Amino acid sequence: MLAAATTDHPIGVCQSKLHDGSLDVPVRLLNAGGTVKITLGGTVALGAAVMPTTAGKVLTHSGSTRVVGRVLQAGVANDVVEMYASEAGGT
């Protein structure tokens, strides 16, 4: 998931890394339901609502930014955890 700004509204999660400047990458849409693997941008508690960062990671939700899901595992920066994806916007 990559956002140019935390106010952006991402529609999905990249399922693999981009290589050699290619933009051809599979994306799992947030409204597809189920879970996705996501990289944390900081410490996140079990069950926390999360928001996207401009570094392609997620952080604990704050303010009025878009909620993109809830993590199903606690973790710290750069951990890859499972997230229940949600298309719900706002807080």
Side-chain angles (χ1 to χ4, degrees):
M1 177 174 308
L2 186 59
T6 56
T7 55
D8 284 354
H9 296 282
I11 62 167
V13 177
C14 294
Q15 296 294 284
S16 64
K17 292 184 179 186
L18 295 174
H19 296 285
D20 301 324
S22 172
L23 296 178
D24 186 20
V25 62
V27 174
R28 170 87 181 248
L29 297 178
L30 292 175
N31 67 354
T35 63
V36 294
K37 295 288 186 177
I38 198 79
T39 304
L40 300 179
T43 301
V44 178
L46 171 67
V50 291
M51 64 183 191
T53 71
T54 57
K57 301 176 182 184
V58 297
L59 291 171
T60 301
H61 179 263
S62 65
S64 61
T65 57
R66 184 164 192 245
V67 172
V68 294
R70 290 195 176 271
V71 294
L72 302 177
Q73 300 166 265
V76 297
N78 298 314
D79 281 354
V80 175
V81 301
E82 197 167 3
M83 176 185 84
Y84 176 75
S86 168
E87 196 182 19
T91 53

